[in-house]
């Protein structure tokens, strides 16, 4: 085996990831090529959360040829103490049997929330990157993607991330199922996550982002606290925004466990640092751990 060249410095590696990420062609979107529409501002509303209207049914996935981005972690990553922010908003309650839908948290704190979905691609590089940057993340997993190796994700849990509910089958037309079918998708995944990781999920993300009041009822009846959507995503090595052209305090960012994970995480990190925001665990801030 040939001897590996000396590892580049962390800034150099980030620069490499940035160049590679920027050159990648637009590929897969957030579970589908349909993203929930942005929430409309309501000056008369006293809510501290942004909630979009239900999006239309998602479109099928579009295939893309993933690029390969190599990453080698520092031998001894330097970690700083995570800042603690006292929540200045509260989680909306379940009302009329319907779980709240949260797209963005309208906080005054300089914070952002990173969420990662599905679980189809599993590499040591992903674990190394998350350890390098020390990001606490809400991980929305679907059994269909992780059942071949569910133990892989315990590594992220050990880093301080939490595993949440993204259904059993990842049916992109879940919103069209009847109540019993939707409830079964959610409750069966609740049991699966509890058996695998020792914790019941508290948050739910529908496949593709589409939801309805029927789904909100199923989510509430399954014991979950909220449906989580997004207005920003790291995708195909770049950031996509439904509102504005940069990250805002309280944004919930969507990513996926895909081959382009390193490029997506690099794009997110650049946007996060440029906006001067700290990555905070969503469950911690909402008080639903």
């Amino acid at each position: 085996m040939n001897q590996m060249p000396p590892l580049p410095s962390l800034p150099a590696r980030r620069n490499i990831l940035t160049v590679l990420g920027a050159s990648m062609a637009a590929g897969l979107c957030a579970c589908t090529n349909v993203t929930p529409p942005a929430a409309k501002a309501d000056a008369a509303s006293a809510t501290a959360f942004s909630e979009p209207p239900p999006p239309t049914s998602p479109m099928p996935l579009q295939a893309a040829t993933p690029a390969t981005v190599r990453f080698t972690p520092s031998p001894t990553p330097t970690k700083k103490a995570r800042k603690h922010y006292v929540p200045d908003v509260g989680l909306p309650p379940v009302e009329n049997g319907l779980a709240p839908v949260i797209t963005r948290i309208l906080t005054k704190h300089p914070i952002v929330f990173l969420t990662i979905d599905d679980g189809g691609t599993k590499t040591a590089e992903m674990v190394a990157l998350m350890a390098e940057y020390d990001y606490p993340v809400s991980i929305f997993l679907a059994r269909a993607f992780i059942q071949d190796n569910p133990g892989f994700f315990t590594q992220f849990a050990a880093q301080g991330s939490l595993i949440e509910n993204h259904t059993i089958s990842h049916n992109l037309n879940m919103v069209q199922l009847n109540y019993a079918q939707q409830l079964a998708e959610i409750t069966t995944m609740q049991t699966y996550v509890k058996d695998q990781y020792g914790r019941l999920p508290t948050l739910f993300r529908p496949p593709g982002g589409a939801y309805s009041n029927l789904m909100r009822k199923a989510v509430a009846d399954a014991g979950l606290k909220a449906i989580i959507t997004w207005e920003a995503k790291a995708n195909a090595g770049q950031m996509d925004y439904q509102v504005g052209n940069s990250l805002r305090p309280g944004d919930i960012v969507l990513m996926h466990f895909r081959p382009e994970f390193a490029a997506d995480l690099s794009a997110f990190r650049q946007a996060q640092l440029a906006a001067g925001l700290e990555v905070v665990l969503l469950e911690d801030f909402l008080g639903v751990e």
Side-chain angles (χ1 to χ4, degrees):
M1 180 178 297
N2 295 330
Q3 185 175 359
M4 295 295 291
L7 293 174
S9 64
L10 178 56
R13 294 196 303 277
R14 291 173 181 162
N15 289 337
I16 293 171
L17 292 176
T18 301
V19 173
L20 290 176
S23 65
M24 294 173 64
L28 294 173
C29 294
C31 292
T32 79
N33 59 1
V34 173
T35 304
K40 296 181 179 179
D42 184 0
S45 176
T47 181
F49 296 86
S50 175
E51 176 182 332
T56 56
S57 298
M59 300 293 290
L61 275 172
Q62 294 181 345
T65 301
T68 299
V69 179
R70 297 187 180 279
F71 171 82
T72 305
S74 298
T76 54
T78 300
K79 294 184 179 181
K80 63 180 180 179
R82 291 175 180 167
K83 295 181 181 179
H84 175 72
Y85 293 91
V86 177
D88 53 357
V89 298
L91 177 67
V94 172
E95 292 186 345
N96 300 317
L98 304 179
V101 179
I102 300 174
T103 294
R104 179 185 172 219
I105 297 177
L106 303 183
T107 176
K108 295 180 180 179
H109 292 306
I111 58 177
V112 66
F113 307 97
L114 180 60
T115 66
I116 309 179
D117 283 13
D118 295 354
T121 302
K122 310 168 189 66
T123 68
E125 178 188 50
M126 294 173 171
V127 181
L129 277 165
M130 296 303 292
E132 180 81 5
Y133 297 141
D134 195 28
Y135 286 154
V137 178
S138 304
I139 300 176
F140 291 86
L141 299 179
R143 189 182 69 179
F145 292 120
I146 71 169
Q147 59 189 349
D148 61 326
N149 185 14
F152 172 82
F153 297 93
T154 61
Q155 299 171 95
F156 300 106
Q159 294 173 357
S161 296
L162 291 179
I163 295 171
E164 301 293 0
N165 192 322
H166 198 35
T167 75
I168 288 293
S169 67
H170 198 266
N171 184 345
L172 295 175
N173 294 313
M174 179 177 173
V175 72
Q176 299 177 13
L177 301 179
N178 63 38
Y179 170 79
Q181 292 170 322
Q182 292 191 41
L183 185 64
E185 281 277 343
I186 299 168
T187 56
T188 307
M189 190 61 188
Q190 286 290 93
T191 301
Y192 183 81
V193 173
K194 180 66 166 61
D195 290 344
Q196 294 294 331
Y197 308 109
R199 171 186 172 272
L200 275 173
T202 56
L203 304 177
F204 177 75
R205 174 166 284 158
Y211 64 89
S212 64
N213 281 344
L214 190 68
M215 184 181 292
R216 293 175 65 188
K217 174 174 170 52
V219 169
D221 290 348
L224 290 141
K225 303 297 184 183
I227 293 175
I228 306 297
T229 60
W230 65 91
E231 288 183 347
K233 62 183 177 183
N235 181 68
Q238 65 182 15
M239 291 298 299
D240 295 330
Y241 303 101
Q242 295 180 46
V243 179
N245 56 10
S246 63
L247 286 176
R248 305 161 297 169
D251 267 337
I252 297 171
V253 179
L254 172 68
M255 263 186 61
H256 291 85
F257 288 101
R258 290 175 175 164
E260 59 268 31
F261 185 94
D264 289 350
L265 192 62
S266 176
F268 166 75
R269 183 167 179 80
Q270 291 178 64
Q272 172 234 329
L273 295 176
L277 303 176
E278 185 91 6
V279 179
V280 173
L281 187 66
L282 181 60
E283 292 88 343
D284 186 28
F285 195 76
L286 294 178
V288 294
E289 287 192 65

